[in-house]
Amino acid sequence: MSEQWSDIACEIKEIYGNKDFVPLHEPTFNKKEIEYVTDCIQTGWVSSVGKYVDQFEQQLAEYTGVKRAVAVVNGTAALHIALKIAGVQANDEVFIPALTFVATANAVSYLNAIPHFVDVSEETLGLDPIKLEEHIEEIGEMKNGHLINTQTGRIIRAVVPMHSFGHPVDLDPLIEVCNRYNLVLVEDAAESLGSYYKGRHTGGFGLVGALSFNGNKIMTTGGGGAILTNDEKLADYAKHITTTAKIPHRWEYRHDGIGYNYRMPNINAAIGCAQLEKMNEFLVSKRNLTKQYQKLFEKVEGVQLFTEPSFGTSNYWLQTILIDEKLDRNVALDVLNKEGTMARPIWTPLNELAPYSTCPKADLSVTNQLNKRVINIPSTPLKGEYHG
């Protein structure tokens, strides 16, 4: 089996021009980023005030098709505020997939709420609406307009689907579940900028959504995130509390509530503006890379390239393979990384992490199975695909 993975590593290196080392995902910059960042430095507007923050928020809202976008320091901060303005309170429970990055659970915990782990779908790698409803029927009851967990007595306030590696969750049946049980839908779209569900951009289906622009995302601001919503009042509130809840005044420092210093610096927003201008080119390059991987893995026994669901269009942020359970995932990871092609397993299921080991959970059989089978492989857009 080691020889098989060594051959795969060689073919991946060939796709990337026979580099000695191929990272999992790295940012791609050109003259436009340098131009905008230089403008920030030369004018002195490098911190939390400047034209690029407003410009980035406007362009992002237009790109994703929502009314408002609020830029913040990172994706976790975006999700934290998204949950807060959605009404999640201390001692509430929030349904989240067990198979997601830890930030999804951390954002819930920042509000002194409790993550409630549910299973994912093999079709999307994201939250499974059918299994969610089955779980609700088993442990929940409606009382005074709220869904109550009969095992804990707590209100279950919201659902947070996460579009894993850019592949959209099946949102229509999930929205039906939310409507039936009075649950607020908050989308963790951290990985899915440029992904669409039935023709609509992810992140805009719920009351509020969250994006991430970390250095390894499909486009980056260095560090950064954004809150998406179609509710103008919620957007104004999000902007206010992420800028320390300061009341506008020419010189006085007055704050009308507990705020957060989550402002995105202008210099980061400048990078974002330049990157967003190239999003369509990034997406084309990502799909071309997917086609090359499809050819590669068609001839590899026991390995399958994960592709977008029939109802969605993925940004293919991280290329993902599924290996047969009879194969040893750790052998694959060891050989690929030794051969200079960076590869990573999917996240450890959150219910297995010490801080969250006692949280309520549903049947997680699919999560446990996928945990042994999913590997991410190099996914950086191929520079020659879009640079002129």
Side-chain angles (χ1 to χ4, degrees):
M1 190 172 74
S2 294
E3 287 185 7
Q4 178 187 35
W5 291 111
S6 183
D7 290 342
I8 290 170
C10 288
E11 298 215 35
I12 291 174
K13 281 186 173 181
E14 188 174 336
I15 290 172
Y16 279 95
N18 293 311
K19 291 182 179 179
D20 291 334
F21 174 72
V22 184
L24 191 67
H25 198 289
E26 60 183 345
T28 304
F29 303 124
N30 63 13
K31 293 180 181 179
K32 188 64 72 173
E33 286 86 357
I34 296 171
E35 176 187 336
Y36 290 174
V37 169
T38 301
D39 182 48
C40 289
I41 294 170
Q42 290 178 339
T43 60
W45 296 102
V46 298
S47 193
S48 56
V49 178
K51 69 178 183 179
Y52 288 107
V53 175
D54 294 338
Q55 182 178 323
F56 183 55
E57 289 179 338
Q58 181 180 350
Q59 290 177 346
L60 195 59
E62 290 173 357
Y63 183 84
T64 57
V66 299
K67 289 183 179 178
R68 294 283 297 279
V70 178
V72 293
V73 292
N74 55 54
T76 308
L79 187 56
H80 172 204
I81 298 303
L83 289 163
K84 180 178 177 63
I85 66 177
V88 174
Q89 302 172 35
N91 209 43
D92 284 347
E93 292 181 15
V94 177
F95 286 130
I96 69 172
L99 207 57
T100 179
F101 183 55
V102 70
T104 312
N106 287 347
V108 174
S109 298
Y110 294 165
L111 295 165
N112 292 315
I114 296 95
H116 187 141
F117 301 119
V118 293
D119 211 359
V120 297
S121 162
E122 289 186 82
E123 185 180 13
T124 66
L125 304 181
L127 193 148
D128 186 331
I130 296 174
K131 292 197 72 174
L132 172 62
E133 183 154 32
E134 290 173 351
H135 181 59
I136 290 173
E137 290 173 352
E138 181 181 341
I139 59 93
E141 70 173 0
M142 295 300 296
K143 187 181 294 184
N144 298 322
H146 297 296
L147 177 62
I148 306 296
N149 182 344
T150 58
Q151 297 178 350
T152 64
R154 292 188 289 249
I155 293 174
I156 305 175
R157 187 79 62 180
V159 179
V160 184
M162 201 279 286
H163 305 291
S164 301
F165 312 131
H167 303 293
V169 168
D170 195 358
L171 288 165
D172 281 347
L174 182 57
I175 290 169
E176 290 178 10
V177 172
C178 289
N179 292 338
R180 192 171 300 126
Y181 296 102
N182 195 24
L183 296 167
V184 182
L185 180 63
V186 177
E187 281 181 80
D188 185 345
E191 302 176 357
S192 65
L193 183 67
S195 298
Y196 295 81
Y197 177 76
K198 296 184 177 179
R200 282 180 57 194
H201 197 285
T202 55
F205 287 83
L207 179 65
V208 63
L211 295 172
S212 171
F213 309 116
N214 189 34
N216 67 349
K217 293 298 189 292
I218 189 165
M219 62 146 279
T220 185
T221 57
I227 300 155
L228 304 179
T229 184
N230 288 304
D231 188 311
E232 295 280 2
K233 289 184 178 179
L234 283 183
D236 288 341
Y237 180 45
K239 187 71 171 178
H240 182 60
I241 63 173
T242 57
T243 53
T244 70
K246 185 179 183 295
I247 300 171
H249 192 276
R250 288 172 62 196
W251 58 78
E252 288 189 350
Y253 290 91
R254 294 191 180 275
H255 306 259
D256 61 2
I258 296 173
Y260 304 87
N261 191 8
Y262 282 178
R263 297 172 287 193
M264 175 181 283
N266 194 50
I267 198 166
N268 294 86
I271 296 171
C273 288
Q275 290 268 289
L276 195 54
E277 291 174 13
K278 297 181 288 189
M279 265 298 295
N280 290 336
E281 295 167 337
F282 288 158
L283 291 170
V284 168
S285 179
K286 287 282 193 179
R287 298 192 80 81
N288 286 336
L289 178 60
T290 301
K291 291 176 183 176
Q292 293 197 51
Y293 276 141
Q294 283 177 315
K295 291 180 182 178
L296 167 58
F297 290 108
E298 277 175 1
K299 58 188 179 183
V300 179
E301 185 179 352
V303 182
Q304 173 192 349
L305 183 71
F306 190 86
T307 55
E308 63 198 3
S310 59
F311 46 72
T313 303
S314 177
N315 65 7
Y316 284 106
W317 167 54
L318 281 189
Q319 298 288 339
T320 304
I321 56 174
L322 291 171
I323 65 172
D324 285 353
E325 289 188 72
K326 63 184 179 182
L327 299 179
D328 188 328
R329 185 195 68 175
N330 289 336
V331 170
L333 289 166
D334 182 57
V335 174
L336 289 171
N337 283 287
K338 279 183 177 177
E339 294 286 339
T341 53
M342 192 172 177
R344 291 292 182 265
I346 200 166
W347 317 279
T348 301
L350 297 185
N351 59 291
E352 296 181 12
L353 301 181
Y356 299 114
S357 60
T358 61
C359 290
K361 62 182 180 181
D363 168 70
L364 301 176
S365 53
V366 176
T367 293
N368 294 331
Q369 178 245 121
L370 289 173
N371 182 43
K372 302 172 184 176
R373 300 181 58 211
V374 174
I375 295 175
N376 293 123
I377 56 176
S379 307
T380 303
L382 303 175
K383 295 181 181 181
E385 298 285 347
Y386 59 87
H387 276 230

